[in-house]
Amino acid sequence: MRHHHHHNVEPQFTFTGSILLLCLITLFVHYLFSTHAPHPYMDETFHVPQMRRYLACAAGTAHENNPAACLVDTEWDPKITTPPGLYWLTWPYCAFIRAAHPSTTTTTTTCTESVPVLRFFNVLLFMVYVLLLRGGLFSSTAASGARTSSFGASRLLAHLQMLLFPLVYFSVFLYYTDFISLLAFLCMLHFESPLFALLCVMCRQSNIVWVFFMGVVVVLKSFLASPPKHRRLLATSPPVNSLIQFTLYCLTNLPLIIRVYFKWILIGILFVIFVLLNGSIVLGDKSNHKATLHVPQFFYFCAFACAMLPGHLICVLMHLPTQFRARYFTAEKSPHRTHQDHRHDTKTLNLTQILFDTVFFSLACCVVALLSYKFAFVHPFILSDNRHYIFYLWRRIFKVHNVHSEEYRVRNALLAPVYVVSALMLNSLLRYKHAIWKTIYWLCVALSLVPTPLVEFRYFIIPFYLLLESIEVPVRKWEPFARAINVLWYIAINFFTLHMFLFRPFGAQLESRFMW
């Protein structure tokens, strides 16, 4: 028994040690940001002054008896596009710092004077996220595929994937909405709480799409738990059958659904009222964020997700020969074989299946190429801001030099096979998800990305995290390998992007820095 206990303690120690090391590295990187880039940068030039206005208002005499009124009364910067969730949640953090320094008499206090202190709010949230993962709160899906509650390598790698994903890890060190938006979404996802859903929308209004997703998933769970005898059986393909059954279930039980899930529906109603009163989903800077039909955004996400899952991509390629044989070769029984003996069976090439798949792939490529060409859109910000990596990708890959570039449309269309293969690969990794779940997921990816004119990788964060929590490799024992490759890839990207931001400033006075 002692020997067994020793082997059980060691993985726990390794798990805890790895997570602790990540926390220490994160604190060190925050220190580097504080020393090498202590001033507001990029979107921080809007977020930091806005938070300062909130706190300055609370410190003034007009609201000395009710400082919380400043959360509503404070002047709003019209260039800020997102709701004030980040500032409202930072408020208690700043209040704590103010209480911890009672000798401070100025109205701005340490919190508003120091950009690193505001940035540290996101670092603290990151530590909270680490503790939640370590405590097993998100382990039901974050460690999907490990199939164990032990502190094994697979679970550790699953958590490191979530923590080190480059877009999110980089945003932890800036006073941005990205990480708090993601954390609110993950809490909504795992607690199935309308309160976190509201918080999720208050951090970024486009998250209303993922609140809708969560609402449908909650109803889907009740549908799948309902007795099968109450579902109509239809003579159609299984996915279509399931979708029709689910739709009929929702219509039949609509009064009950409205009553049970009224809080979720109320969030949707409040959001519609906001859009009608505001005249747009965007809070500020509406002229640069007009909704458009930007279909290639969906394809960019599929290609990006595959690029961020190299381990899973390798596993899919390793499994291709087996999948090819199973799909395109049919076994014909030999008259000489005995029961359970397949050695004498002959394999026949299934030309019909090959023809069908070839036609399907060709048609898919044609449709994607047409959509990529017709709805290609270049936002002026992409061509004017050389601080983002997207600027260089668009210049090098698509050869974009102006917003009406014909070459961009043609090159985008030529990449159609890449987009189709990426989408098929991602969908194959979701093989264990219900057909309805996959349908709603891809629908929400399209709803969240297609109306967005500007291509920004951070818009991909939430749909990508849902992928991370849901995908599984073709052979389950390959899962640790896939995750290890992903983690190493993320570490390499993080090292590069953080190094470029901190130590490679550029511009006439070295005031510009490379970032996502």
Side-chain angles (χ1 to χ4, degrees):
M1 289 295 291
R2 287 183 180 180
H3 183 68
H4 176 73
H5 179 71
H6 171 74
H7 282 287
N8 190 39
V9 170
E10 188 174 345
Q12 293 188 34
F13 178 78
T14 305
F15 188 98
T16 304
S18 301
I19 295 297
L20 180 61
L21 178 62
L22 175 61
C23 291
L24 292 174
I25 291 173
T26 302
L27 290 172
F28 177 67
V29 175
H30 170 70
Y31 167 77
L32 292 177
F33 267 72
S34 302
T35 55
H36 288 78
H39 305 295
Y41 188 71
M42 200 69 75
D43 289 2
E44 285 183 326
T45 57
F46 305 111
H47 293 312
V48 171
Q50 184 63 42
M51 190 64 219
R52 286 174 175 170
R53 279 191 288 273
Y54 275 116
L55 294 174
C57 171
T61 56
H63 296 87
E64 59 182 350
N65 295 324
N66 186 22
C70 288
L71 296 177
V72 179
D73 292 348
T74 301
E75 178 187 355
W76 185 258
D77 185 345
K79 287 292 183 181
I80 296 176
T81 61
T82 51
L86 173 65
Y87 318 123
W88 292 1
L89 291 170
T90 310
W91 184 283
Y93 164 75
C94 291
F96 173 80
I97 291 177
R98 181 173 292 184
H101 296 79
S103 60
T104 303
T105 57
T106 60
T107 58
T108 53
T109 76
T110 305
C111 197
T112 54
E113 285 291 338
S114 172
V115 174
V117 172
L118 285 178
R119 288 174 178 168
F120 192 69
F121 175 65
N122 271 334
V123 176
L124 279 179
L125 288 180
F126 181 79
M127 301 299 176
V128 170
Y129 181 41
V130 169
L131 291 174
L132 292 176
L133 282 175
R134 174 63 180 81
L137 179 63
F138 297 150
S139 61
S140 59
T141 49
S144 173
R147 308 300 181 200
T148 177
S149 59
S150 66
F151 296 90
S154 189
R155 185 182 174 198
L156 171 62
L157 291 168
H159 292 335
L160 289 177
Q161 274 187 150
M162 307 285 286
L163 294 167
L164 290 172
F165 178 56
L167 270 67
V168 171
Y169 192 68
F170 187 92
S171 70
V172 165
F173 304 105
L174 296 172
Y175 190 60
Y176 268 37
T177 61
D178 297 359
F179 184 71
I180 196 169
S181 168
L182 172 67
L183 191 58
F185 167 76
L186 291 174
C187 289
M188 174 190 73
L189 186 68
H190 291 276
F191 290 115
E192 295 183 359
S193 166
L195 179 62
F196 282 112
L198 182 62
L199 178 61
C200 191
V201 177
M202 288 304 299
C203 292
R204 184 166 287 170
Q205 65 270 45
S206 59
N207 287 345
I208 189 67
V209 173
W210 299 108
V211 172
F212 166 74
F213 169 84
M214 190 64 231
V216 175
V217 168
V218 170
V219 177
L220 175 61
K221 287 183 178 180
S222 65
F223 164 71
L224 296 176
S226 65
K229 65 181 180 180
H230 292 154
R231 306 181 203 164
R232 284 183 58 188
L233 295 176
L234 302 171
T236 55
S237 59
V240 176
N241 183 25
S242 297
L243 286 169
I244 295 175
Q245 287 180 5
F246 180 60
T247 304
L248 291 174
Y249 172 84
C250 292
L251 293 175
T252 305
N253 298 277
L254 190 59
L256 178 64
I257 290 172
I258 292 174
R259 186 168 68 252
V260 174
Y261 304 111
F262 177 74
K263 292 178 182 178
W264 294 90
I265 297 170
L266 181 61
I267 294 173
I269 294 171
L270 292 174
F271 185 80
V272 171
I273 294 172
F274 158 75
V275 173
L276 292 175
L277 293 176
N278 188 54
S280 170
I281 190 174
V282 180
L283 206 60
D285 198 19
K286 298 175 184 177
S287 60
N288 288 314
H289 295 82
K290 293 179 180 177
T292 185
L293 201 59
H294 194 185
V295 180
Q297 281 269 40
F298 182 88
F299 308 140
Y300 301 152
F301 168 73
C302 292
F304 169 85
C306 285
M308 286 294 173
L309 294 169
H312 290 77
L313 181 59
I314 292 171
C315 289
V316 168
L317 293 175
M318 288 166 55
H319 194 250
L320 268 183
T322 303
Q323 203 170 11
F324 185 88
R325 286 192 298 269
R327 188 170 182 82
Y328 298 125
F329 285 89
T330 53
E332 292 186 356
K333 296 179 182 179
S334 171
H336 304 292
R337 78 165 190 175
T338 58
H339 186 63
Q340 299 291 342
D341 183 9
H342 300 272
R343 289 176 297 175
H344 300 289
D345 287 354
T346 57
K347 297 284 187 177
T348 304
L349 190 62
N350 190 339
L351 294 175
T352 305
Q353 188 65 53
I354 292 176
L355 180 62
F356 175 82
D357 286 355
T358 303
V359 171
F360 172 80
F361 182 77
S362 301
L363 287 175
C365 287
C366 290
V367 171
V368 170
L370 180 63
L371 292 172
S372 298
Y373 180 86
K374 181 70 175 175
F375 296 102
F377 181 84
V378 182
H379 197 286
F381 283 3
I382 290 180
L383 301 180
S384 62
D385 196 342
N386 63 350
R387 295 170 295 180
H388 290 292
Y389 293 117
I390 198 80
F391 171 88
Y392 300 96
L393 282 174
W394 255 234
R395 285 293 181 98
R396 303 282 162 78
I397 296 176
F398 295 118
K399 303 296 182 183
V400 180
H401 300 289
N402 60 74
V403 293
H404 303 293
S405 174
E406 181 67 16
E407 188 175 1
Y408 167 59
R409 293 176 177 273
V410 173
R411 284 175 172 264
N412 213 351
L414 290 175
L415 284 172
V418 175
Y419 299 147
V420 174
V421 169
S422 299
L424 291 175
M425 193 203 91
L426 295 176
N427 205 51
S428 71
L429 290 171
L430 291 169
R431 66 170 59 78
Y432 297 114
K433 281 294 184 180
H434 196 279
I436 299 173
W437 189 98
K438 289 193 283 188
T439 302
I440 299 301
Y441 170 75
W442 289 119
L443 174 64
C444 288
V445 171
L447 287 174
S448 64
L449 296 179
V450 170
T452 310
L454 182 61
V455 181
E456 279 205 59
F457 289 129
R458 59 180 177 170
Y459 299 156
F460 300 160
I461 289 175
I462 286 180
F464 185 80
Y465 262 71
L466 269 173
L467 274 179
L468 271 185
E469 292 207 335
S470 308
I471 57 177
E472 290 190 38
V473 294
V475 180
R476 190 161 290 166
K477 66 181 181 180
W478 294 351
E479 196 74 46
F481 167 78
R483 289 171 173 168
I485 295 295
N486 292 344
V487 169
L488 291 174
W489 180 231
Y490 296 168
I491 290 172
I493 294 174
N494 282 325
F495 181 83
F496 173 79
T497 53
L498 291 171
H499 174 80
M500 293 298 289
F501 182 88
L502 292 168
F503 305 115
R504 293 294 182 88
F506 65 98
Q509 312 202 334
L510 301 180
E511 76 286 355
S512 298
R513 297 176 183 272
F514 295 107
M515 64 183 297
W516 286 104

